[in-house]
Amino acid sequence: MTGIAIVIYLNQPDPQPRERDYVYVGNFYAFAIWIGTGATGVLDYIFEYLKRYSAIRRMVIFSGAGILAVVLPVNLILFNFNSHDRTGNYVPWDYSYNILQSCEKNAILFTNGDNDTFPLWYLQIVEGVRKDVNIVNLSLLNTDWYILQLKHGNPPVPITLPDEKIKGILPSLWQKKTLVLEVPPEIHNKFLAEIGDEKKIRKVTKPQKITFDVEPTIMGQALRVQDLMILNIVYGNRWRRPVYFAMTVADENKVGLKKYLRMDGLAFKLVSYPGERISPVRLRESLIKKFRYRGLNDPSVYYDIQTKDLLQNIRTAFLQLIYYYYTNKMKNETLEALNKLNEVLPEEVLPISNDELSIQIGQIYRELGQPQELRKRLDRILKKENVPSSNLIKYAMLYGYQLKDFSRAESILNDVIIKEPNNVQAYSELVLMYEREKKYEKSIDVLNKWLKINPEDKNCLLYTSDAAD
């Protein structure tokens, strides 16, 4: 019942968001009883075997029991301690704190599920952090009791439905609709001012409107209760309080408002204009002044894969800010954000899964006068196994042309040629690099090497002739 049967009953999809060992805890208890029974059987066997040796029998039994009592837990500790040790791991506390600090005073914050809601509740209820923020859990927002709790809470969430309609609320039939929400001019002007770029601020004196498409979320025919309540809260709020969606909320849970969401940290703020992905002023304030990053640069702290994936959200926010500064040619600000990212989330401790992204960061560093950062990232990537040849050639070009390390580039290209003698791109890049360095004899040697393998390549014959001239 607690093993095979529950696997069939639960029919858990693969992959799961986390380990589900706790589902099978009854099975573990049963197995632990078997282990205890087996240990007792071993001791009984020894006891019977040593009946004729009464002088040492008691000593052997107690020694055996003592060894079993020590070896079993020690074995578990040796095998599991590293992955279960939470020393220095402040991610649940700090990440939740950072979400709350992303929000303005008296905000309404929509969260996705238990993982990004329960730690927020802990901070608010137990430690008294940012109790002014109303947390609205989208999973629970499908239940009437929770909606009533929000409506009559302190502070209350602006829900306009009467209690009688909330009780027993069900999904509603729905066809795709374009909804309109009016924005007072003073609110629109305030949102624009938060961008922090005077060139993009055009004050208005008349009410503005935002339009967004709301599509069915249940089998193309209906809206979930949570979607209906998001709309009710947004319309009932009438821009009186700031509204946010946590970064972990999926796009399909935003009722078409995605284009009006602006990144202010680990939460997106609902604003009255589309297109601006960030407020550099607010995002910088969150990332550099407010947020906490304890232990994220400590290689001795264990982080499982789910935690590492979650922390990429912080890196994403930093990269948005870096990209804004870089494209607007704000060198000092770009370096500040890059260095802060490197300080709190070093790639050596929390690697970037996308090598190209890591290299792009290195290239920005190089353009800002720190080529060693690009070299460091290239060197680290080249230590990986099974790097594709096309990538190796690209990295060789970066060594040769951006870092002026032609010997390193030459070595990489020659390694590719040894592994893949017919890789024409590797030959071509090596020839071009030799020509650029005016090492014509080496260039001809490479071309002749290619001709030995591909004697019918007439284009290469012409190229060789021109090089010889």
Side-chain angles (χ1 to χ4, degrees):
M1 288 296 103
T2 62
I4 296 172
I6 202 169
V7 171
I8 296 170
Y9 175 74
L10 292 174
N11 191 26
Q12 290 179 348
D14 185 36
Q16 287 289 299
R18 67 192 71 85
E19 290 184 4
R20 299 293 193 185
D21 288 358
Y22 51 80
V23 175
Y24 312 105
V25 68
N27 197 7
F28 297 156
Y29 284 151
F31 191 55
I33 293 170
W34 286 11
I35 292 171
T37 304
T40 304
V42 171
L43 293 176
D44 284 345
Y45 176 81
I46 295 172
F47 188 82
E48 289 294 325
Y49 183 77
L50 295 177
K51 271 186 175 179
R52 47 188 161 173
Y53 305 106
S54 56
I56 63 170
R57 182 172 59 184
R58 184 178 295 273
M59 182 184 69
V60 171
I61 292 297
F62 281 112
S63 298
I67 290 171
L68 287 172
V70 171
V71 168
L72 287 174
V74 167
N75 180 55
L76 288 172
I77 289 171
L78 291 175
F79 186 78
N80 292 308
F81 183 80
N82 180 60
S83 60
H84 287 71
D85 178 21
R86 297 295 181 263
T87 304
N89 186 341
Y90 296 97
V91 171
W93 203 103
D94 286 357
Y95 190 90
S96 304
Y97 176 86
N98 294 344
I99 292 177
L100 290 173
Q101 295 306 321
S102 301
C103 301
E104 296 175 57
K105 188 176 180 180
N106 299 324
I108 299 168
L109 172 64
F110 292 106
T111 58
N112 194 49
D114 51 4
N115 286 348
D116 59 353
T117 302
F118 294 175
L120 297 176
W121 282 341
Y122 164 79
L123 286 181
Q124 287 188 324
I125 297 167
V126 178
E127 305 211 17
V129 177
R130 293 300 306 271
K131 297 179 77 171
D132 59 294
V133 177
N134 268 131
I135 296 168
V136 180
N137 181 296
L138 293 180
S139 298
L140 295 178
L141 200 58
N142 290 292
T143 62
D144 55 1
W145 62 266
Y146 181 67
I147 298 170
L148 289 168
Q149 187 181 97
L150 293 174
K151 181 180 177 181
H152 300 290
N154 185 23
V157 174
I159 295 171
T160 60
L161 286 177
D163 291 1
E164 300 76 41
K165 287 193 175 182
I166 293 174
K167 293 173 182 177
I169 190 170
L170 296 171
S172 176
L173 291 174
W174 189 270
Q175 292 181 343
K176 180 179 177 180
K177 294 180 184 178
T178 299
L179 301 184
V180 179
L181 182 60
E182 191 171 282
V183 188
E186 64 274 13
I187 297 294
H188 181 73
N189 292 333
K190 176 180 177 290
F191 288 152
L192 289 175
E194 291 171 355
I195 301 174
D197 188 342
E198 292 294 330
K199 297 177 183 177
K200 296 179 178 178
I201 297 175
R202 295 180 181 177
K203 290 187 177 181
V204 299
T205 57
K206 296 180 180 180
Q208 303 295 298
K209 294 180 180 180
I210 69 171
T211 60
F212 54 102
D213 296 330
V214 181
E215 300 187 10
T217 51
I218 301 178
M219 301 177 67
Q221 297 180 357
L223 274 186
R224 297 167 297 189
V225 172
Q226 70 178 64
D227 305 314
L228 294 167
M229 293 312 305
I230 291 174
L231 294 172
N232 184 271
I233 292 168
V234 169
Y235 274 86
N237 182 51
R238 297 182 180 275
W239 305 100
R240 288 188 289 258
R241 298 171 61 185
V243 174
Y244 291 83
F245 287 81
M247 190 180 281
T248 48
V249 175
D251 289 345
E252 58 266 25
N253 293 336
K254 296 172 181 174
V255 294
L257 291 168
K258 178 184 176 182
K259 63 180 178 179
Y260 294 105
L261 296 179
R262 184 191 70 197
M263 181 186 288
D264 282 6
L266 292 182
F268 293 94
K269 182 180 180 181
L270 179 63
V271 294
S272 57
Y273 54 84
E276 291 294 328
R277 296 177 61 86
I278 69 169
S279 163
V281 176
R282 292 195 176 277
L283 188 54
R284 180 186 180 277
E285 185 179 7
S286 294
L287 293 173
I288 295 178
K289 293 185 177 181
K290 291 183 176 180
F291 281 9
R292 297 184 179 182
Y293 307 99
R294 290 178 293 175
L296 301 185
N297 57 2
D298 186 350
S300 67
V301 178
Y302 175 83
Y303 297 113
D304 58 31
I305 187 65
Q306 289 83 9
T307 303
K308 289 180 178 178
D309 288 344
L310 181 71
L311 293 173
Q312 297 304 325
N313 290 335
I314 298 176
R315 183 172 275 136
T316 297
F318 264 107
L319 292 175
Q320 289 286 345
L321 185 62
I322 290 165
Y323 180 74
Y324 175 87
Y325 288 146
Y326 176 70
T327 54
N328 286 278
K329 304 186 185 306
M330 302 167 71
K331 179 179 177 180
N332 293 336
E333 290 82 355
T334 306
L335 266 177
E336 177 193 45
L338 277 169
N339 290 335
K340 184 68 175 180
L341 172 60
N342 212 23
E343 172 196 339
V344 300
L345 252 75
E347 294 177 42
E348 295 83 0
V349 178
L350 294 164
I352 298 176
S353 57
N354 187 331
D355 291 340
E356 295 304 311
L357 182 57
S358 178
I359 289 171
Q360 287 173 21
I361 294 172
Q363 287 176 302
I364 294 175
Y365 262 120
R366 184 194 68 84
E367 291 183 28
L368 298 176
Q370 297 188 23
Q372 71 277 7
E373 290 291 336
L374 175 57
R375 180 183 294 276
K376 180 174 71 175
R377 286 163 174 78
L378 286 171
D379 288 347
R380 184 167 59 243
I381 292 169
L382 285 175
K383 290 178 182 178
K384 295 182 178 181
E385 296 181 357
N386 303 318
V387 179
S389 296
S390 58
N391 288 359
L392 290 173
I393 295 169
K394 184 163 47 177
Y395 302 153
M397 297 301 97
L398 293 176
Y399 276 108
Y401 298 130
Q402 294 194 10
L403 297 176
K404 307 302 179 186
D405 187 346
F406 296 102
S407 61
R408 183 74 168 122
E410 178 185 29
S411 173
I412 295 170
L413 291 172
N414 279 320
D415 286 343
V416 172
I417 289 171
I418 290 171
K419 292 178 182 177
E420 300 179 12
N422 281 306
N423 192 315
V424 64
Q425 186 184 2
Y427 283 93
S428 299
E429 297 294 355
L430 192 54
V431 167
L432 291 172
M433 190 176 68
Y434 282 144
E435 288 195 351
R436 184 167 179 168
E437 291 299 294
K438 297 183 179 180
K439 297 179 180 179
Y440 300 118
E441 290 184 2
K442 284 193 172 185
S443 180
I444 292 172
D445 288 342
V446 174
L447 290 167
N448 285 331
K449 187 176 181 179
W450 172 260
L451 282 171
K452 285 182 181 179
I453 302 171
N454 300 277
E456 302 301 321
D457 188 347
K458 299 193 183 326
N459 291 327
C460 188
L461 284 169
L462 291 171
Y463 200 113
T464 311
S465 177
D466 290 342
D469 291 341

